[in-house]
Amino acid sequence: MTLVDHIWHRCRLATLSPSRQGLGLIDDGLIAAQAGRIVYAGPAADAPSALDARQRTDCDGRWITPGLIDCHTHLVYGGNRAQEFEQRLAGASYEEIARAGGGIVSTVRATRQADINELVSTALPRLDALIAEGVTTVEIKSGYGLELETERRQLQAARRLGSERDISVRTTFLGAHALPPEMAGDKSGYIDAVCDTMLPAIAAEELADAVDAFCEGIAFSVEQTAQVFMKAKSLGLPVRLHADQLSNLHGAALAARFGALSADHLEYTDEDSVAAMARAGTVAVVLPGAFYFIREHQMPPIDAMRRHNVPIALATDSNPGTSPLTSLLLTMNMGATLFRLTVDECIAAVTREAARALGLFDQTGSLDVGKSCDLAIWNIERPAELVYRIGFNPLHARVWRGISRSSASHS
Ligand code: DI6
Ligand code: FE
């Protein structure tokens, strides 16, 4: 007789296991967890017969997917940009708003003024919105401090969020997000500061799991991005990139050259860059929330990604300027309606492929033995409902590292 902590039975599984086809569906499934890890996930009929559990949950035929993963967010920041949104709706251009001290600089100002408690308490409702939809892992970037002290505080706040809720938080240092106003006209001076001062300090304090940059005409060049990546690699940190969002600077190819975990946005990426990503194993993270909110028309090259077998992940890009979005379910719907992803692609994009984008696929992202027991249990009849609905949340319960919470009692 083997006694385990918890068994979920009478459930239908979308395992997302790479050892199975498509979503890896199992009709009459069973999951067993011990010490927070999956020790069995598969057909109930094939489960070891001498398996018993301290706690058993009858799922009544409900569907279970891996816990969802939001692999690209800027969840921690001060203030918001609702007023700027109103100004834009009234006809003001992005440049006019920026010249009047608005735009990203206004978020930088508000973030610099916020202490860590304020950063945590304003981010918590956004995090809770993600959690309420079954998210069990979230990536959170810095990038609204643009000087060491505030960048550090953003990352500390992100880590603190992970101790205040049942969720895995991965942090990313995005010092090269924008040029701080006090260094106007001196991009290369700022990049030197990022590389010589900020990155070594952040790395020494182990505050970041990865390093990101914004490679774009309005942000940093390919050469400046390469300088940041070189430094990150020398400090042993993996890299990822905001690439080709507004124009094709061949940022995705640059990311591939550095073996980046992911290249994100990618609206203007060309096929050669996609091929380079495939060779490097770099995941494509597409962000339909930003595409929608800024009314972009250029679609990321989804067909080329499919042809070259580049894994596609979806994320909210939750940020105050271009994607004030805190729903991964809506993000899936947008992935399907705006980017024409299939249902299977959308579900894989917020589980298996999002885990790959974070370098965590050995730990989460599919229902496989040895992985963290991160589950989302849904009141649905078929997986397509997760992608089909708009603004409806069918989560029944969420399990993080084997710890179960019913959907009504998160906070
Ligand atoms: N891409 C974006 O769209 C945002 N950052 C980025 O790297 C813009 C962030 C903001 O406007 O606050
Ligand atoms: Fe972003």
Side-chain angles (χ1 to χ4, degrees):
M1 171 81 79
T2 314
L3 184 67
V4 300
D5 289 337
H6 204 141
I7 284 176
W8 290 264
H9 64 109
R10 292 219 308 139
C11 44
R12 290 178 277 182
L13 307 180
T15 62
L16 278 300
S17 177
S19 66
R20 298 176 192 271
Q21 292 278 309
L23 294 177
L25 303 182
I26 292 169
D27 234 6
D28 182 12
L30 184 148
I31 296 173
Q34 172 63 30
R37 303 207 162 270
I38 296 172
V39 292
Y40 180 82
D46 299 346
S49 54
L51 201 59
D52 204 2
R54 292 178 187 88
Q55 194 179 349
R56 291 179 73 89
T57 300
D58 182 342
C59 297
D60 219 0
R62 290 190 179 87
W63 279 92
I64 301 184
T65 66
L68 305 189
I69 299 169
D70 194 349
C71 68
H72 179 145
T73 86
H74 311 246
L75 215 61
V76 171
Y77 54 83
N80 69 56
R81 308 248 285 277
Q83 200 189 352
E84 173 184 325
F85 180 59
E86 275 191 288
Q87 289 168 348
R88 276 176 43 208
L89 290 172
S93 73
Y94 197 80
E95 286 71 24
E96 283 165 355
I97 290 166
R99 255 184 279 123
I104 193 163
V105 170
S106 73
T107 300
V108 171
R109 208 182 304 117
T111 305
R112 287 177 177 180
Q113 281 166 7
D115 66 17
I116 185 162
N117 293 327
E118 201 175 328
L119 290 177
V120 170
S121 67
T122 53
L124 266 177
R126 296 190 280 269
L127 183 66
D128 285 339
L130 295 175
I131 287 172
E133 292 186 346
V135 172
T136 51
T137 300
V138 63
E139 183 262 16
I140 303 176
K141 301 174 198 297
S142 66
Y144 287 116
L146 310 181
E147 42 85 13
L148 178 56
E149 208 186 307
T150 309
E151 291 286 313
R152 175 194 280 137
R153 198 161 67 250
Q154 272 193 284
L155 295 169
Q156 287 167 337
R159 288 270 165 89
R160 173 97 68 87
L161 289 169
S163 58
E164 300 233 351
R165 292 292 186 269
D166 290 340
I167 191 164
S168 304
V169 171
R170 301 294 281 184
T171 54
T172 302
F173 173 66
L174 178 58
H177 189 196
L179 187 62
E182 64 276 10
M183 295 200 74
D186 190 13
K187 280 189 189 176
S188 72
Y190 179 62
I191 290 298
D192 287 345
V194 166
C195 293
D196 299 343
T197 312
M198 296 161 80
L199 246 176
I202 298 293
E205 293 165 38
E206 298 185 354
L207 279 172
D209 301 306
V211 172
D212 195 345
F214 190 16
C215 183
E216 192 60 66
I218 59 167
F220 299 103
S221 68
V222 163
E223 291 72 25
Q224 288 159 342
T225 302
Q227 191 184 332
V228 173
F229 279 5
M230 227 114 69
K231 188 69 192 189
K233 292 249 131 176
S234 78
L235 294 165
L237 287 166
V239 298
R240 40 203 316 213
L241 188 63
H242 284 71
D244 310 329
Q245 181 188 6
L246 307 170
S247 61
N248 184 9
L249 294 188
H250 305 283
L254 173 75
R257 203 165 345 115
F258 279 87
L261 287 172
S262 72
D264 305 33
H265 285 289
L266 306 175
E267 277 83 347
Y268 288 84
T269 299
D270 59 35
E271 181 148 3
D272 286 350
S273 298
V274 172
M277 287 175 66
R279 288 191 296 274
T282 298
V283 176
V285 179
V286 295
L287 305 166
F291 175 94
Y292 165 84
F293 197 74
I294 66 174
R295 299 167 189 246
E296 176 62 65
H297 292 289
Q298 175 81 23
M299 285 253 293
I302 300 291
D303 276 335
M305 293 168 188
R306 288 177 179 137
R307 270 198 305 282
H308 292 273
N309 287 315
V310 171
I312 300 172
L314 280 163
T316 61
D317 194 18
S318 188
N319 80 67
T322 60
S323 189
L325 170 62
T326 49
S327 169
L328 206 46
L329 290 174
L330 178 55
T331 301
M332 275 198 270
N333 178 271
M334 288 176 164
T337 53
L338 298 176
F339 293 166
R340 297 280 160 216
L341 296 177
T342 66
V343 162
D344 286 14
E345 284 172 333
C346 287
I347 294 174
V350 298
T351 54
R352 183 175 62 210
E353 312 312 348
R356 282 195 226 277
L358 295 178
L360 289 179
F361 191 52
D362 58 339
Q363 295 173 44
T364 189
S366 68
L367 305 180
D368 280 301
V369 170
K371 292 197 177 188
S372 179
C373 185
D374 300 341
L375 315 176
I377 307 177
W378 305 98
N379 289 314
I380 54 174
E381 280 306 315
R382 52 172 63 222
E385 285 179 54
L386 297 178
V387 181
Y388 155 73
R389 291 179 189 277
I390 301 170
F392 182 78
N393 180 7
L395 190 76
H396 171 69
R398 171 185 174 279
V399 178
W400 176 74
R401 296 190 182 167
I403 304 163
S404 183
R405 297 259 195 271
S406 81
S407 65
S409 61
H410 284 302
S411 46

